[in-house]
Structures are given as structure tokens and as C-alpha cells.
DNA sequence: ATTGAAAAGATCAGAGA
DNA sequence: TCTCTGATCTTTTCAAT
């Protein structure tokens, strides 16, 4: 079962190929994309811009923390049943520069929070600071050893 | 406490500014970066390429699953203490197109696996298939409701 | 889809620290 | 030795047709 087979429900083959090629190499030009996909560069351009405007495709400059040697950790958090507190807490997380990711779950845990810091001691301090918020009911900390794959692609080999 | 203060231990000010600007907008040109940072476009280019070659910076075309309406989930997995089984399992995950992320932890859980599929039923099937591997000792499934922030930036507003 | 002007990308020899 | 600069040439982008 592949990428294409899932995305086929949402996009046509040419859009899927464009996404796949841009996932492999975000700097590929519209002209090259066109040759590979079988469209004029103008047509590719229109499709690409449409995908970007709809938020399906994002070209992102990502700092790979593990290649810098910066330690990071994931917090699993269970929140109290207070919508206002919950919203304030999430907004605080989004505004916090040291928070790399915030994902909401349905299930035992409410949030996954990924954060980073200079060293493990500071990482723990920041984690404790975050979970001391009154919106938090329970939590678990997991320190990251290594990320093998991210954004749908292996990040160990190649660019 | 900010981005810059953490990265200062690893990079100089100009590299940090380049990373930050590219994180905000991956399509900014070397010339504009140069004006903002105070370098010629050639100098910016050299720094950017160096950051990319060292794996610290990646410019990635990302498919934003939630903007496509594709459901995804995180599996927390505890592995058995068998190095060979463990390695085979991780390699299988990396090769699996439906697996979006694989992160290794130190702690109660060994792996975070993020995967996606057409619908929740298939997502569950694929999850069960993955955790039926003989390397797996225990697991938890968390379905994702929403991702607020990723790659160090809010993904709800803006590009 | 084609065109043309403006912008960006890529390369290089030489300056400067 | 390492980094920056400015000149030059190629390619891409982008809007108009």
C-alpha cells in the first residue's frame, strides 16, 4: 500500500506526482517538474500554487535539531476539562519558541508537546515549567534518542 | 527564553538569523536574506548551502495531512530486548509509505510511530498490522485530532 | 501555450581577515 | 585557510498576451 493509493482519493495523479517530487527535493524547478510529470511549466506552476494556497503543500525550512546536537523530548499531557484553561495553555505553547510541535489527540492523552533546549537539565526544567500549568492534569516525559523518519521521508540519509 | 539563545551555543548570529528567516518563509531569496542579515547574496548562499550539507537545515516540501483531511495517528511502542528484531522493525517502518514519522525514545516507550491512511478503519487496520510485528511488546494508539504547531512554527495560520 | 522583462540562481576570481 | 564580495552568465519566475 503506497502514498499514491491513499492520496488518489483526494488528488489526481499529476498533483500526487508533483507532491512526491517536491517532497523528495523542494528546490526542483517548475520546468523540471513539468518534464517529469508531463505538463508545461505554466501548468505545473498553477497546480503547485493551488496546492500551496490550499495548505496541502508547504515548503518549509526546517531546523533538524538532532543534526545540531540539540536534545529534545516529548511530553504527553492529560488536560483538565476546562475549555478556557485548555485554550490558554495551547496558545502559550504555540507562542513558546522552545516548543517544536503541539498535536492534539483523542484518547488517553490530550496533547503531544515536543520541546528542545540546550541540554538535558534545561530540557527537564522547561518540561516541568510547562506541565506546572494549571490546565495540566497528568503527564509523561519521553526523551528523544533519535528520529529516523519525519515528514514522510527518512532524515538520516541524503538531504 | 528564545530560539536564538539556544542556538547561540552551536551557530553564530548570522547563521541563526538565516535559519529563522528560512523557517518563517522557505522561499525567500539569497539576495533578500543578504539584505536582512547584512551579507552579500553569495555569502548567504555559501552559509545556506553549508547548513544544508551538514543536515542542520532542510528545505522540505511537506504534505500537510490534516489540510487534506487524511486521518493520522501516533503509536507508542515498547519493543522486546532483541537488537536484531528491533532493527528489522525500524527498517520496515522507514520503508512503509504510510509511516510519516519514526522517533526513538529513552524511557517507558521505545518508539513513536506516526502513520496515516484513507480513513479511520484502515488506519486502525494498518496500526494493528504494524504492532503485530514480533519485535513489539506493548503499544498504545492515539488518534490525532489536530496539529497546532510543527517544525517550530504554527501551521494553522499563514504559510 | 508563448513571450519578454525582472528576479533569482549559480559560478568564479580576487580581496580581506 | 576561511569567508566575503562583486561581476558575469544562466535559469527561473511571473504577468501579459
Amino acid at each position: 500500500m503506497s502514498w499514491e493509493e491513499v492520496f488518489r482519493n483526494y488528488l489526481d495523479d499529476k498533483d500526487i506526482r508533483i507532491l512526491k517530487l517536491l517532497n523528495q527535493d523542494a528546490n526542483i524547478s517548475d520546468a523540471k517538474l513539468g518534464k517529469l510529470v508531463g505538463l508545461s511549466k505554466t501548468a505545473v506552476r498553477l497546480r503547485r500554487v493551488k496546492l500551496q494556497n490550499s495548505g496541502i503543500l508547504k515548503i518549509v525550512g526546517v531546523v533538524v535539531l538532532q543534526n545540531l546536537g540539540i536534545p529534545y523530548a516529548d511530553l504527553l499531557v492529560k488536560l483538565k476539562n476546562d475549555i478556557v484553561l485548555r485554550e490558554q495553555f495551547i496558545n502559550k505553547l504555540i507562542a513558546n519558541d522552545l516548543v517544536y510541535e503541539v498535536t492534539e489527540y483523542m484518547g488517553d492523552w490530550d496533547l503531544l508537546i515536543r520541546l528542545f533546549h540546550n541540554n538535558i537539565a534545561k530540557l527537564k526544567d522547561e518540561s516541568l515549567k510547562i506541565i506546572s500549568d494549571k490546565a495540566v492534569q497528568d503527564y509523561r516525559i519521553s526523551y528523544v534518542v533519535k528520529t529516523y523518519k519525519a515528514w514522510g521521508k527518512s532524515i538520516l540519509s541524503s538531504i
Side-chain angles (χ1 to χ4, degrees), chain A:
Chain A
M1 188 66 181
S2 73
W3 242 72
E4 286 85 349
E5 288 173 74
V6 173
F7 292 152
R8 187 154 298 150
N9 291 20
Y10 307 88
L11 303 164
D12 71 14
D13 282 4
K14 299 206 189 271
D15 278 345
I16 292 170
R17 290 205 62 200
I18 290 170
L19 285 181
K20 184 134 202 177
L21 289 162
L22 282 168
N23 185 246
Q24 285 163 11
D25 172 14
N27 290 318
I28 189 171
S29 69
D30 290 339
K32 276 186 194 158
L33 274 176
K35 274 180 199 157
L36 293 167
V37 174
L39 284 172
S40 72
K41 61 183 176 177
T42 318
V44 167
R45 189 183 160 67
L46 288 172
R47 282 172 174 266
R48 180 175 56 72
V49 169
K50 202 169 177 180
L51 288 168
Q52 285 181 269
N53 287 341
S54 65
I56 292 168
L57 168 67
K58 284 191 198 294
I59 311 289
V60 193
V62 188
V63 180
V64 183
L65 299 172
Q66 81 182 1
N67 288 341
L68 257 177
I70 293 180
Y72 53 108
D74 285 353
L75 291 174
L76 285 173
V77 169
K78 178 75 190 162
L79 299 175
K80 290 182 190 150
N81 287 330
D82 181 317
I83 297 172
V84 176
L85 278 182
R86 185 180 157 287
E87 200 170 309
Q88 284 172 350
F89 182 58
I90 289 172
N91 286 332
K92 242 201 276 180
L93 293 171
I94 292 172
N96 184 338
D97 266 4
L98 302 176
V99 171
Y100 198 75
E101 175 174 337
V102 181
T103 292
E104 185 177 355
Y105 289 139
M106 183 169 63
D108 294 336
W109 298 101
D110 287 310
L111 290 179
L112 172 89
I113 304 164
R114 179 162 294 174
L115 71 162
F116 64 94
H117 216 309
N118 291 84
N119 55 57
I120 299 188
K122 287 189 179 175
L123 189 54
K124 184 169 182 188
D125 284 350
E126 185 69 22
S127 301
L128 295 176
K129 206 173 117 197
I130 285 174
I131 55 86
S132 69
D133 189 284
K134 54 183 183 289
V136 174
Q137 191 175 96
D138 195 11
Y139 70 95
R140 293 287 184 284
I141 304 181
S142 299
Y143 294 95
V144 172
V145 173
K146 193 190 257 180
T147 294
Y148 293 92
K149 193 176 187 179
W151 329 293
K153 60 191 280 187
S154 170
I155 65 163
L156 296 176
S157 60
S158 83
I159 310 177

